[in-house]
Amino acid sequence: MPPQELFSTHMVPVDAATGKLFDEQLVPANDTPVTCLGKTFASDIERRVYFTEELHKKLADPDFRKIEGFPIGKDEDLLALSDPPYYTACPNPWIADFIAEWEKEKSPQINADGKPLPYHREPFAADVSEGKNDPIYNAHSYHTKVPHKAIMRYILHYTEPGDIVFDGFCGTGMTGVAAQMCGNKEAVQSLGYTVNNDGTILQDGKPFSRLGARRAVLNDLSPFATFVAYSLNFPVSPTDFELETAQIASDVEKECAWMYQTKHTDGNMGKISYIVWSDVYICTSCTKEIVFWDVAVDRDLALVKDKFYCPYCNAFLKKAATEKARITYAEPSFGIIHKTVKQVPVLIYYIVDNCRFEKKPDEFDISLINKISSMKIPYKIPLDEIIPGDKTNDPLSFGIRNIYQYYTHRNLYVISSFWSRCSNKYKAIITSLLENHASKRNRYILDRNHTMGTTGGPFTGTLYLPPLQCEVNIINIFRKTAKKYYAAYSELTGIKHNIVSTNSLTYSQFDNDSLDYIFLDPPFGSNYMYSELNYSWESWLGVKTSILFEAIENKSQSKTLLEYRQLMRSALRNAYWALKPGRWITIEFSNTKAAVWNCLQLALADAGFIIATVNVLDKKHGGLKSMTYTTAVKQDLVISAYKPNGGFEERFVNEAKTLEGVWDFVRTHLKYLPVVKVSGDALQPIHERDPRILFDQMVAYYVRKNYLVPLSSQEFQAGLPQRFAERDGMYFLPDQVAEYDSKKLAMGNRIKNAELFVLDEATAIQWLRQTLQDKRQTFQQIHPHFIPKISDWSKNEKSLELSVLLEQNFLKDDKDYWYVPDVNKASDLEKLREKALLKEFAAYTGSTKKLKIFRMEAVRSGFKKAWQEKDYDTIINVAERLPGAVLDEDAKLLMWYDQAQTRRERV
């Protein structure tokens, strides 16, 4: 019989006779009293008993189970995973109670008059590529993960001690860790900041934040993600952890160590570190079986060949075109018949007396494998069938139909032995090694410098099963993983409770204006199929993701970019609802598709957020560069957006139809933009302060509020210098321009122009403006530099000669030198240019054919005019004749089209 599962404060036994949760006799009388949500309990177990019973009652409510993203699982599994009210493997019904309690505990900063200091922050831009070798980061892997030290920088910048931080796509809970570590002086100083004795935090000698933990609410759709987040945000005593995991490993070793034995050349027993298994192929010529290892692996060159010769008939074969041999077997515990790819062991890597050796499997090893493979497993293992999906074709084509087939029978036995002995807190260790080391996805990697090779882990973001697999010693890996967690828990000593919930962010779980800051690292289109990749983990846990509300592009789920955008818009609207006015949301974006970026940008704006800055995370150089275009995303982005303050929103209702509404928007928006950006020893242009960008932001705000834009681009650019200070083509508020001038003087008046990429007419004009800004030039001087720039010109964009671009957008002096016109003359040029663009747009509306080559600026001008005239049909008809990729990858066109569809539906 398997050993009884250890009871701890993380298990939920249910009495079969009474149906009661827990047995009161299990509660130790001498435990320390605890207080939770205003209630005092004799012990922490008593706290769990009470709130678990309350959660049990909630689960009986049909409406509670209708909450969007409610996970798939039985009541007993949901309760067993949960540690209420702090962590629930389903929607957490106590979030509002915690937030109310935390608000009462806050100590706001007071000015000299005894009044709370008003909140104001500029958008933050900093290096977010650090901390990946940190013990906390390495404790548990995940498909996407932002180091907690990077998130700390944002939290310190945007919040004060005690503020409430929210992460609605929390993954492994790094935002919660970061929020708490803001109260750890050593952790803050490790970021390069100085911490004064009074708790003031300084950067470059200037105070910008205060030392102190922040509160965090963590949420994710995936039960596995929230389970891991819980394990890292509710750490146990490192000493207790070390002792208990060592005991568990010792118990499993006593039971299973014989399974990892092999005979050395002298007859003594060695301990297996890992075994390499090779797929077997069938020769297309002679139909004999070929062991892939024998014909494709060149260990001297550390090379695995894709093409090889059959050792029997000498036929030349390609791996991709050669069929794999199959084998039929019966699973011994349940008698289920499976047909899967045939594999054979080809190399054993083992240790004798602390020396490493390798060998080919011999009769002893084969006999041992056969013996283990015929054994019934006395422990609970997941029987779930793999559901067809975008990423599951690899295991299904391999012949893997059930989750337990991901593992060799030996490793399945040992894993289940560990699983039966571990409480939930320690099961996090097993989930860490399940996919990364224990499964058949674990690759064998040849190494020139290490001829024995090494284990390479699985390919990230896939369920690919390699032709050369490593079966590792699970007992060894458990101990190594436990050491990683011990190191993490040693760093996390003193962390208080954060709150963890499992549901979709499309469900509103907060009161209005209740959060101080939001940090999100959401799914990005088709980057990762989280529910498919997490399915194995969640099968072990017994609770699975509800995929209906999973915000991804997925053919198997019939989700396109449209469904992705709709789900993200719903999620971000709830985030907007919950965030306090004037506060910030930071989103890390990681996708190379401009269409996905535009979907996210549109969803943010539709939710009500206003994007202040979009910065590029330069992983190669470890820094941030300003985003100068939005149609080609090459690197990770850091998006800073804000929720307009209540005062402006109230004023705008009365001002929207007047010019004052425009200038009030600009004035308010400028407050949220960075004043100075430094790159090396020079200032960097702040493109968000460019008049064209400011105009686009204003137009987008008016359109989404369903108001007509009360002035043209020419009138806007003419009005800017009358109301705001201009410096280097950027506009500032009076107090901002003084700061900019001071910094510019200190930097020796050095300004570094960011590199521009010419992709279409708009970016070509921008490049010419930058080129001519400081020096007038002739056509002959410009042309040699312009031609190389247009090599990436969009294939659907009508190509324009340099002469046309110059004549329609710039002026020429009597010596044939082109220059940037002043505001008044630029206005006249703009009117002529717009007239020509609208004439060209009219030609597009008079046809029913698909548009293949066209002038993008003409379409943009036409859409704007049609919007002003409420001619939504024209926008929709032309948009639907554009190539799909063009519409998806142009943020302005997508905005007009999306809003036109929305308005037409309401008519």
Side-chain angles (χ1 to χ4, degrees):
M1 294 294 292
Q4 184 177 359
E5 187 159 13
L6 298 176
F7 175 72
S8 77
T9 59
H10 307 289
M11 302 308 297
V12 188
V14 181
D15 188 290
T18 66
K20 291 181 66 177
L21 299 170
F22 292 103
D23 182 338
E24 284 80 358
Q25 293 179 353
L26 293 173
V27 180
N30 59 349
D31 206 349
T32 305
V34 296
T35 300
C36 179
L37 290 178
K39 298 180 183 295
T40 300
F41 303 94
S43 68
D44 196 52
I45 292 182
E46 186 177 285
R47 181 271 305 170
R48 279 209 74 206
V49 170
Y50 173 81
F51 282 107
T52 302
E53 289 177 343
E54 291 300 303
L55 183 59
H56 198 197
K57 295 175 187 176
K58 279 284 186 182
L59 292 174
D61 181 358
D63 290 334
F64 183 63
R65 284 187 169 274
K66 291 178 182 178
I67 290 175
E68 295 175 4
F70 195 100
I72 301 167
K74 297 178 182 178
D75 284 9
E76 54 263 36
D77 292 322
L78 292 166
L79 293 170
L81 279 183
S82 300
D83 185 5
Y86 304 114
Y87 158 58
T88 57
C90 59
N92 192 323
W94 292 281
I95 288 177
D97 297 327
F98 277 109
I99 289 178
E101 185 176 272
W102 292 344
E103 283 289 346
K104 292 178 182 177
E105 295 174 355
K106 284 185 178 179
S107 300
Q109 285 187 291
I110 305 298
N111 62 18
D113 298 327
K115 298 180 180 180
L117 289 173
Y119 177 87
H120 175 72
R121 299 291 191 281
E122 290 181 11
F124 178 69
D127 183 358
V128 295
S129 61
E130 63 175 309
K132 291 188 177 182
N133 291 320
D134 186 271
I136 299 172
Y137 183 89
N138 291 329
H140 203 299
S141 62
Y142 198 59
H143 321 294
T144 55
K145 197 172 184 180
V146 181
H148 74 279
K149 286 189 175 181
I151 305 174
M152 282 176 66
R153 295 183 181 274
Y154 294 100
I155 295 176
L156 287 169
H157 177 81
Y158 285 116
T159 67
E160 294 292 334
D163 276 357
I164 301 167
V165 177
F166 175 61
D167 187 345
F169 301 95
C170 72
T172 57
M174 290 296 99
T175 299
V177 172
Q180 291 287 343
M181 296 298 276
C182 287
N184 184 304
K185 184 175 181 179
E186 289 74 21
V188 172
Q189 289 176 327
S190 73
L191 302 177
Y193 301 139
T194 300
V195 182
N196 287 345
N197 291 333
D198 64 356
T200 303
I201 303 174
L202 297 88
Q203 182 179 23
D204 299 328
K206 295 181 179 179
F208 79 99
S209 188
R210 289 193 298 149
L211 185 69
R214 279 68 167 164
R215 300 290 195 172
V217 179
L218 307 173
N219 179 81
D220 203 284
L221 185 68
S222 166
F224 167 68
T226 57
F227 175 70
V228 178
Y230 163 68
S231 75
L232 292 173
N233 280 270
F234 297 78
V236 297
S237 159
T239 302
D240 293 345
F241 177 85
E242 185 177 39
L243 291 172
E244 289 195 44
T245 53
Q247 183 60 54
I248 292 169
S250 177
D251 291 344
V252 174
E253 187 167 41
K254 289 176 183 177
E255 179 189 9
C256 303
W258 64 271
M259 295 184 182
Y260 296 110
Q261 288 185 337
T262 187
K263 279 188 177 181
H264 191 42
T265 53
D266 61 4
N268 289 324
M269 288 295 177
K271 183 166 73 172
I272 294 173
S273 295
Y274 64 81
I275 301 173
V276 180
W277 289 76
S278 171
D279 287 354
V280 178
Y281 288 79
I282 298 176
C283 175
T284 55
S285 179
C286 68
T287 70
K288 290 187 177 180
E289 292 185 350
I290 308 168
V291 178
F292 183 71
W293 172 272
D294 294 338
V295 297
V297 174
D298 187 329
R299 300 186 71 188
D300 292 332
L301 297 177
L303 178 67
V304 179
K305 305 171 187 175
D306 288 328
K307 301 173 184 178
F308 42 82
Y309 291 93
C310 173
Y312 303 105
C313 68
N314 209 37
F316 184 66
L317 305 173
K318 295 181 180 179
K319 186 182 75 169
T322 306
E323 183 182 351
K324 293 182 178 181
R326 301 277 167 168
I327 186 172
T328 301
Y329 72 98
E331 201 290 322
S333 299
F334 311 104
I336 301 174
I337 304 298
H338 295 290
K339 185 177 182 180
T340 186
V341 169
K342 183 177 181 179
Q343 295 175 299
V344 294
V346 294
L347 181 70
I348 297 177
Y349 177 34
Y350 64 103
I351 296 175
V352 177
D353 295 331
N354 294 322
C355 294
R356 298 179 296 178
F357 299 94
E358 66 172 61
K359 60 179 279 192
K360 289 184 178 181
D362 54 28
E363 185 178 342
F364 174 88
D365 302 308
I366 301 302
S367 177
L368 181 65
I369 290 171
N370 291 336
K371 177 182 177 180
I372 296 170
S373 297
S374 65
M375 293 173 59
K376 290 185 178 181
I377 297 177
Y379 307 103
K380 183 179 179 180
I381 61 174
L383 301 177
D384 303 82
E385 291 187 0
I386 295 173
I387 300 172
D390 283 15
K391 296 295 182 184
T392 57
N393 184 60
D394 281 317
L396 291 174
S397 63
F398 195 89
I400 292 179
R401 295 289 183 271
N402 299 82
I403 291 300
Y404 62 78
Q405 288 181 273
Y406 270 124
Y407 316 96
T408 64
H409 199 72
R410 170 170 28 206
N411 277 1
L412 182 66
Y413 190 111
V414 180
I415 291 167
S416 60
S417 179
F418 271 113
W419 192 265
S420 70
R421 289 172 163 83
C422 288
S423 65
N424 281 350
K425 181 63 68 174
Y426 305 114
K427 282 177 179 174
I429 304 174
I430 305 175
T431 61
S432 178
L433 62 87
L434 274 174
E435 293 301 304
N436 292 332
H437 303 285
S439 79
K440 294 180 180 180
R441 294 173 54 222
N442 193 22
R443 296 169 295 147
Y444 175 74
I445 304 295
L446 290 166
D447 189 339
R448 288 177 184 270
N449 300 319
H450 180 199
T451 56
M452 290 183 180
T454 185
T455 61
F459 282 120
T460 58
T462 75
L463 295 173
Y464 171 73
L465 287 105
L468 298 174
Q469 301 170 4
C470 277
E471 179 190 16
V472 299
N473 184 320
I474 298 299
I475 300 170
N476 289 350
I477 297 300
F478 179 88
R479 286 195 168 106
K480 290 179 181 178
T481 307
K483 287 180 180 179
K484 289 183 178 181
Y485 258 88
Y486 174 81
Y489 287 158
S490 299
E491 296 278 331
L492 293 168
T493 301
I495 280 202
K496 299 179 181 179
H497 291 128
N498 287 319
I499 308 306
V500 184
S501 181
T502 312
N503 54 265
S504 172
L505 187 50
T506 59
Y507 165 69
S508 180
Q509 55 188 332
F510 299 100
D511 292 333
N512 190 20
D513 304 342
S514 58
L515 301 174
D516 297 299
Y517 174 61
I518 298 175
F519 182 94
L520 299 180
D521 180 18
F524 298 107
S526 59
N527 269 23
Y528 288 93
M529 306 301 161
Y530 291 92
S531 60
E532 296 176 23
L533 299 173
N534 291 349
Y535 193 78
S536 175
W537 282 315
E538 293 178 352
S539 294
W540 283 91
L541 294 175
V543 184
K544 300 182 186 69
T545 298
S546 173
I547 65 173
L548 182 62
F549 296 97
E550 187 177 17
I552 56 173
E553 284 182 87
N554 185 291
K555 292 179 182 178
S556 303
Q557 296 182 25
S558 299
K559 289 177 181 175
T560 65
L561 267 177
L562 176 61
E563 284 73 29
Y564 169 74
R565 185 167 84 241
Q566 289 172 340
L567 286 165
M568 285 303 303
R569 174 163 42 195
S570 178
L572 290 169
R573 281 178 176 171
N574 284 333
Y576 183 88
W577 163 265
L579 190 64
K580 293 177 180 178
R583 297 290 183 137
W584 290 87
I585 180 173
T586 299
I587 299 180
E588 198 213 357
F589 175 86
S590 180
N591 192 293
T592 57
K593 294 181 180 178
V596 179
W597 154 237
N598 286 333
C599 276
L600 180 66
Q601 190 178 18
L602 195 65
L604 264 170
D606 285 345
F609 290 107
I610 299 177
I611 297 175
T613 61
V614 180
N615 294 293
V616 177
L617 172 59
D618 187 347
K619 290 182 177 177
K620 182 176 180 181
H621 298 101
L624 287 166
K625 297 180 180 178
S626 285
M627 187 72 178
T628 56
Y629 60 96
T630 59
T631 56
V633 181
K634 304 294 185 183
Q635 297 162 299
D636 288 2
L637 306 180
V638 178
I639 305 160
S640 298
Y642 63 90
K643 178 177 180 177
N645 62 55
F648 169 71
E649 294 274 74
E650 293 171 4
R651 294 194 307 272
F652 186 77
V653 174
N654 299 319
E655 299 172 345
K657 297 180 181 180
T658 68
L659 289 178
E660 182 51 37
V662 171
W663 304 120
D664 194 2
F665 172 85
V666 175
R667 191 176 300 107
T668 301
H669 185 57
L670 288 175
K671 293 178 183 178
Y672 288 91
L673 300 183
V675 177
V676 173
K677 284 186 179 180
V678 177
S679 178
D681 61 350
L683 290 180
Q684 187 175 336
I686 303 168
H687 298 282
E688 294 80 12
R689 293 184 176 274
D690 182 283
R692 289 168 295 280
I693 304 299
L694 290 172
F695 180 74
D696 288 343
Q697 284 281 25
M698 182 273 296
V699 168
Y701 188 79
Y702 267 76
V703 168
R704 289 187 171 85
K705 292 292 184 179
N706 200 25
Y707 287 105
L708 297 179
V709 180
L711 79 175
S712 67
S713 173
Q714 303 93 336
E715 293 167 332
F716 180 83
Q717 294 196 41
L720 274 175
Q722 298 173 14
R723 295 167 174 82
F724 307 102
E726 186 272 336
R727 294 291 189 276
D728 303 316
M730 301 176 288
Y731 285 89
F732 299 85
L733 298 174
D735 58 327
Q736 293 175 335
V737 77
E739 180 184 346
Y740 181 81
D741 287 342
S742 175
K743 189 66 174 180
K744 183 179 178 182
L745 183 63
M747 301 291 290
N749 292 321
R750 290 185 295 272
I751 300 178
K752 180 180 180 180
N753 286 324
E755 182 182 0
L756 291 174
F757 296 83
V758 177
L759 306 166
D760 52 20
E761 182 177 350
T763 49
I765 294 169
Q766 191 176 356
W767 181 84
L768 286 169
R769 183 175 294 274
Q770 187 181 92
T771 300
L772 298 173
Q773 191 72 50
D774 299 323
K775 181 182 179 182
R776 298 186 180 197
Q777 298 184 49
T778 64
F779 177 90
Q780 289 76 15
Q781 290 173 325
I782 302 170
H783 191 263
H785 302 287
F786 178 74
I787 294 302
K789 285 288 180 182
I790 61 175
S791 59
D792 291 328
W793 193 274
S794 174
K795 64 179 181 179
N796 297 112
E797 177 81 6
K798 182 178 179 180
S799 60
L800 296 175
E801 295 292 337
L802 174 60
S803 57
V804 174
L805 291 168
L806 290 169
E807 288 167 2
Q808 293 188 359
N809 300 280
F810 301 91
L811 293 177
K812 185 169 58 173
D813 62 20
D814 54 4
K815 294 183 179 180
D816 289 339
Y817 280 82
W818 292 97
Y819 63 94
V820 179
D822 63 33
V823 174
N824 293 324
K825 292 179 181 179
S827 177
D828 292 336
L829 275 178
E830 189 69 24
K831 289 177 182 178
L832 291 172
R833 180 171 179 271
E834 186 170 2
K835 185 177 180 180
L837 291 173
L838 290 175
K839 183 178 180 180
E840 190 150 354
F841 179 76
Y844 304 156
T845 62
S847 173
T848 58
K849 296 180 180 179
K850 285 282 186 181
L851 296 171
K852 295 182 179 179
I853 305 296
F854 47 89
R855 195 171 175 184
M856 188 73 77
E857 288 300 294
V859 178
R860 290 171 180 153
S861 294
F863 278 15
K864 180 185 172 186
K865 182 174 183 292
W867 175 268
Q868 295 290 86
E869 297 173 352
K870 298 185 178 181
D871 184 4
Y872 307 132
D873 287 338
T874 292
I875 295 174
I876 293 170
N877 291 337
V878 173
E880 292 179 347
R881 287 166 44 223
L882 296 172
V886 170
L887 185 63
D888 288 337
E889 292 179 6
D890 189 283
K892 292 180 183 178
L893 297 186
L894 194 59
M895 179 194 72
W896 293 116
Y897 175 60
D898 185 72
Q899 292 296 316
Q901 283 186 313
T902 301
R903 304 306 169 196
R904 189 170 71 171
E905 290 170 0
R906 293 178 181 176
V907 175

